[in-house]
Amino acid sequence: MSKITAAITGVAGYVPDYVLTNKELETMVETNDEWITSRTGIKERRILKGEGKGTSHIAVPAVLDLLKKTNTKAEEVDLLICATTTPDMVFPATANLITAEVGAVNAFGYDLQAACSGFLFALATGSKFIESGQYKKVIVVGADKMSAIVDYTDRATCIIFGDGGGAVMLEPNTEGYGIQDSILKSDGTGAQYLHMKAGGSRKPATIETVQAREHFAYQEGQQVFKFAVKGMADVSAEVMERNNLTAEDVAWLVPHQANKRIIDATANRMGVGSEKVMLNIERYGNTTSGTIPLCLWEYEKQLKKGDNLILAAFGGGFTWGAIYLKWAYDPK
């Protein structure tokens, strides 16, 4: 019997309509377009507007489009994993809300939280359900409404984040395509540099925590940058070495879109030229769990069956990792 691998058989994405430009941010906080662009590579980001709208309202359109593109009936889906740092509610899981909304009545679902590495962790997890032979159709979502936890008076964070997300379908493959290898890591000693101070069980919400603005993302940029450059570059190089891949063998680097300088450093370490790097940070900023599926969605038509892709991410807390996969289909 041929070995079963988990192959991506379709990808879809969604970004809200509202565009928050660097120029608009200049009216909200002390910054300017040149300062933001030179340090991050970001020109604009998308924001989900509207009363009562959460991450599921980003994920559902992406999942519905994915079902249509892969000619899949919602009731055929076995499992949906949602990687998100900004769930609609503490419970139920956002994945449960998504499955209900799209009609995936036979699927079970759960959320996975690993900050900006969430989509990679969820993709690796979903692949195991396929490889085991237990499931045939697994949807992995990466989506975040970061505007809900960003302090727009804090220049260190408000310039970086945006809202958006995407979804991929995983299905069994016996031709050698799909996910080949993964290296996933975490180090909780980095929590002090990138976290949210209040809102969890350790420090529940009070009038005082709200007044102290402790329900927003907190980041010490220099420390995070230093760790991110090393973390993403190290695992990307390691997964190449472990699979005997040269820079010439790699068709695309699919990096988490946190900062253009981190992306460049990772590509340089791998020896991959800029023409092989998926990039959309200038238009969407850092959508946390959403960046990698959004890249795959936007570049889908340039991907060819058999292409070697390296997916790499780094997230708060700290979490980081890389996945090596062989693309399973030609553009339609």
Side-chain angles (χ1 to χ4, degrees):
M1 183 178 169
S2 300
K3 181 187 175 185
I4 297 173
T5 53
I8 293 176
T9 57
V11 59
Y14 176 81
V15 289
D17 293 332
Y18 188 88
V19 179
L20 176 60
T21 64
N22 289 349
K23 283 291 180 191
E24 186 175 349
L25 276 175
E26 288 178 13
T27 69
M28 301 161 67
V29 70
E30 189 180 336
T31 190
N32 61 68
D33 176 64
E34 191 280 328
W35 192 91
I36 297 171
T37 305
S38 64
R39 282 162 179 77
T40 67
I42 301 167
K43 285 284 188 186
E44 56 190 42
R45 64 291 289 147
R46 300 298 183 95
I47 304 296
L48 182 65
K49 299 275 192 177
E51 190 74 29
K53 291 199 171 180
T55 295
S56 68
H57 295 88
I58 294 169
V60 166
V63 172
L64 288 172
D65 189 34
L66 178 68
L67 293 171
K68 184 179 177 184
K69 285 172 72 174
T70 57
N71 197 27
T72 303
K73 294 176 182 174
E75 55 267 28
E76 294 175 331
V77 179
D78 299 303
L79 164 64
L80 186 146
I81 305 173
C82 178
T84 187
T85 303
T86 55
D88 285 34
M89 314 174 199
V90 173
F91 68 91
T94 302
N96 291 12
L97 302 176
I98 297 166
T99 53
E101 194 67 29
V102 304
V105 293
N106 295 314
F108 86 97
Y110 60 88
D111 291 356
L112 189 154
Q113 211 283 69
C116 298
S117 306
F119 180 77
L120 282 196
F121 285 25
L123 191 64
T125 304
S127 72
K128 301 306 177 189
F129 285 95
I130 296 289
E131 290 167 11
S132 71
Q134 186 172 3
Y135 294 133
K136 296 285 191 286
K137 292 182 185 291
V138 173
I139 292 177
V140 179
V141 175
D144 272 298
K145 183 189 174 184
M146 290 304 293
S147 62
I149 61 167
V150 165
D151 182 352
Y152 286 95
T153 68
D154 176 15
R155 185 175 71 169
T157 55
C158 73
I159 65 170
I160 298 167
F161 295 103
D163 303 340
V168 299
M169 180 73 74
L170 289 177
E171 295 186 83
N173 186 281
T174 54
E175 300 175 283
Y177 300 109
I179 294 171
Q180 308 294 309
D181 196 10
S182 64
I183 300 172
L184 306 173
K185 295 182 177 288
S186 61
D187 179 2
T189 62
Q192 60 187 308
Y193 304 118
L194 183 50
H195 61 273
M196 187 190 292
K197 294 180 185 297
S201 59
R202 185 181 290 192
K203 198 173 186 182
T206 63
I207 291 172
E208 289 75 24
T209 63
V210 172
Q211 289 174 339
R213 308 184 76 79
E214 292 183 340
H215 295 267
F216 296 118
Y218 168 82
Q219 173 173 284
E220 292 183 24
Q222 285 190 321
Q223 290 289 345
V224 174
F225 179 83
K226 186 169 69 175
F227 276 92
V229 167
K230 186 176 189 311
M232 266 179 68
D234 281 357
V235 288
S236 299
E238 186 182 344
V239 83
M240 285 175 65
E241 188 178 330
R242 202 155 88 171
N243 292 277
N244 299 312
L245 294 172
T246 66
E248 288 70 37
D249 296 325
V250 176
W252 293 97
L253 166 63
V254 192
H256 169 53
Q257 309 285 301
N259 182 300
K260 177 70 162 50
R261 291 183 294 167
I262 296 172
I263 294 169
D264 290 344
T266 302
N268 289 339
R269 175 74 182 279
M270 295 168 62
V272 171
S274 59
E275 74 282 356
K276 290 183 173 184
V277 179
M278 293 190 187
L279 203 64
N280 59 19
I281 190 172
E282 73 281 358
R283 286 177 292 115
Y284 301 143
N286 181 352
T287 55
T288 305
S289 301
T291 65
I292 288 176
L294 280 174
C295 278
L296 292 173
W297 173 55
E298 290 207 320
Y299 282 79
E300 183 186 18
K301 291 199 182 321
Q302 297 182 53
L303 297 172
K304 300 183 190 67
K305 191 174 183 178
D307 277 354
N308 291 317
L309 275 61
I310 304 292
L311 283 54
F314 184 91
F318 289 129
T319 60
W320 67 102
I323 287 178
Y324 162 41
L325 68 84
K326 280 187 177 292
W327 197 248
Y329 61 94
D330 286 316
K332 294 168 184 170

